[in-house]
Amino acid sequence: METDKQYEVDLGHLMAFDPHHQFPSLPSSREDLLKECVKKGTELVQVIAANLFNLPSTEDVDGPLVKLPPPTTKLPRGKHLPKPKPPTKWELFAKSKGIKKRKKDKVLWDEQTGTWKRRFGYDRVNDDEDIPIIEAKMTDEPGEDPFAKRKTEKKNRVEKQQKNRLQNLKQAAKVGALPSHVQLAATALPITGTHAAPKKVSKDELGNVAGLAATATASGGKFDKKLPGEKPAKKQGKNRKFLPVVEGSGIGRQEKEQTDKVLSKIISQNSHEILNIDKAVSKYTVKKERNWKNQQGNSSTTPSKLKAKGKPMKVKNKPNKKSGKTGSSKTKKGKSK
């Protein structure tokens, strides 16, 4: 292997570089160029491995451990530099008044409990739940609950802070300097894996939505107050008509007519299942032919020549007086003439 003097090795980034190597300007083929790259890359990896084994190591269960030196090569950034954020209203006010931001302690002494507590967050100093008594002031109104007032003021402060935070984010979005976590949340894909671009709502769609909202009441918007200049809904659906609840003259007749209509509609749709026309016609034809044959047979034949129907009956002989034995004669099927 060649000497390491011709290579530039940075063990902090596990990187090696050969400044004297040159690829041929016109390679014969792509495969030759690929082989040359693999060959040179193998040499550089061997150089890095040799330098790693020359460093002092410590033994461990998994093997020797080596502490890498600090990197010497400055790598370029993967992304562009972030744009500066626009100053907030408080920052502008503090700059005009000369107010400087100073670092505050995270832990303070709580006189009520006699312990050190954090400034903000859970179990903080001067927590509302730890204050059993609040001193009255001259400006307090009589009959007002000081604990409820304290909770309301805190809620208003939180809402105001949230409003200011959103306003600052809007100002930063105009300049293109949103924080990284807000950018990731805004560009994150939903669960389905598709991110549809926000569609601009047209005037007709807004009118349809407004009409649906106006008629979404129990009265269909009939008794709702109209805004000045509000137009009636474009698409008004038909209201269903129900029979009156209280009985009166003609109520039973209307219900009967309505029920008959429903039954006739169902029977007309499923008439092929209720009555099979082909089967009924065949039964009628068979019955008609049978009656005609019976009439023809009665007129042409006499009663003495009628054949017996069914199987021949067994005939038992009377007992013989001489022998005392009984005999029986059976007719065989297919042999009687």
Side-chain angles (χ1 to χ4, degrees):
M1 190 176 65
E2 301 177 0
T3 57
D4 298 345
K5 294 181 180 179
Q6 62 179 349
Y7 298 106
E8 295 180 3
V9 182
D10 185 5
L11 292 180
H13 291 306
L14 294 177
M15 183 181 67
F17 176 66
D18 186 3
H20 306 289
H21 181 266
Q22 292 181 357
F23 286 99
S25 58
L26 294 173
S28 59
S29 63
R30 186 177 180 84
E31 294 180 356
D32 296 341
L33 181 62
L34 183 61
K35 289 180 180 178
E36 182 68 20
C37 292
V38 172
K39 181 181 177 182
K40 199 62 185 177
T42 305
E43 293 179 3
L44 295 175
V45 171
Q46 289 176 353
V47 171
I48 294 173
N51 284 277
L52 284 176
F53 280 101
N54 291 332
L55 293 176
S57 60
T58 57
E59 292 295 332
D60 192 31
V61 179
D62 299 330
L65 295 179
V66 177
K67 186 177 180 180
L68 297 177
T72 57
T73 306
K74 292 184 178 181
L75 299 178
R77 283 179 61 91
K79 296 183 179 181
H80 58 81
L81 292 172
K83 296 181 181 180
K85 294 189 222 176
T88 61
K89 288 185 178 180
W90 166 251
E91 291 175 350
L92 294 174
F93 175 76
K95 186 177 181 180
S96 62
K97 296 295 182 181
I99 301 173
K100 295 183 179 180
K101 187 177 180 180
R102 57 187 178 86
K103 190 175 181 180
K104 298 180 181 180
D105 297 332
K106 293 183 179 180
V107 182
L108 295 177
W109 177 259
D110 189 8
E111 296 180 356
Q112 296 182 4
T113 58
T115 55
W116 291 93
K117 290 188 176 182
R118 61 186 77 183
R119 185 184 292 271
F120 303 107
Y122 175 73
D123 196 18
R124 62 185 180 276
V125 178
N126 297 328
D127 194 358
D128 297 341
E129 297 180 359
D130 296 338
I131 300 176
I133 300 174
I134 298 177
E135 296 182 1
K137 299 179 182 179
M138 297 296 295
T139 58
D140 293 344
E141 296 182 2
E144 186 179 12
D145 188 0
F147 294 97
K149 182 181 178 181
R150 191 183 180 98
K151 186 180 289 186
T152 305
E153 290 176 353
K154 178 184 175 182
K155 185 177 179 181
N156 295 335
R157 287 197 306 270
V158 171
E159 291 178 355
K160 184 180 178 182
Q161 181 65 22
Q162 181 69 8
K163 185 178 179 181
N164 294 338
R165 188 182 73 85
L166 295 176
Q167 191 67 25
N168 294 333
L169 289 176
K170 289 180 181 179
Q171 294 295 333
K174 291 180 180 179
V175 185
L178 279 174
S180 58
H181 64 281
V182 178
Q183 290 180 0
L184 290 174
T187 58
L189 296 178
I191 299 174
T192 56
T194 57
H195 183 67
K199 189 178 82 171
K200 189 175 180 180
V201 182
S202 62
K203 184 179 179 181
D204 296 336
E205 291 178 353
L206 286 175
N208 295 337
V209 173
L212 290 174
T215 57
T217 57
S219 62
K222 183 178 180 180
F223 302 104
D224 296 343
K225 294 181 179 179
K226 303 293 182 182
L227 296 175
E230 183 180 358
K231 297 180 181 180
K234 293 183 179 179
K235 296 182 179 180
Q236 292 183 354
K238 295 181 180 179
N239 297 328
R240 292 181 61 187
K241 294 182 180 180
F242 298 95
L243 293 175
V245 180
V246 182
E247 292 187 2
S249 60
I251 299 299
R253 182 178 56 80
Q254 293 180 7
E255 290 184 357
K256 186 177 179 181
E257 290 178 357
Q258 189 176 8
T259 309
D260 291 342
K261 286 181 181 179
V262 174
L263 288 175
S264 61
K265 187 176 181 180
I266 295 173
I267 291 171
S268 62
Q269 290 177 354
N270 303 324
S271 60
H272 61 283
E273 299 178 1
I274 297 173
L275 178 62
N276 192 343
I277 299 174
D278 297 336
K279 191 174 181 180
V281 170
S282 62
K283 278 188 175 184
Y284 175 76
T285 307
V286 170
K287 189 175 180 181
K288 188 175 181 181
E289 290 179 357
R290 188 177 295 171
N291 294 335
W292 181 78
K293 286 182 180 180
N294 292 336
Q295 291 176 3
Q296 292 293 330
N298 293 333
S299 61
S300 62
T301 60
T302 56
S304 60
K305 295 183 179 180
L306 290 176
K307 296 182 180 179
K309 295 181 180 180
K311 297 181 180 180
M313 298 178 61
K314 297 179 181 179
V315 179
K316 293 184 179 182
N317 297 332
K318 294 182 179 180
N320 194 355
K321 295 181 180 180
K322 296 180 179 179
S323 60
K325 295 181 180 180
T326 59
S328 61
S329 64
K330 297 181 181 179
T331 59
K332 294 182 180 180
K333 294 181 182 179
K335 293 184 179 181
S336 61
K337 293 184 182 180

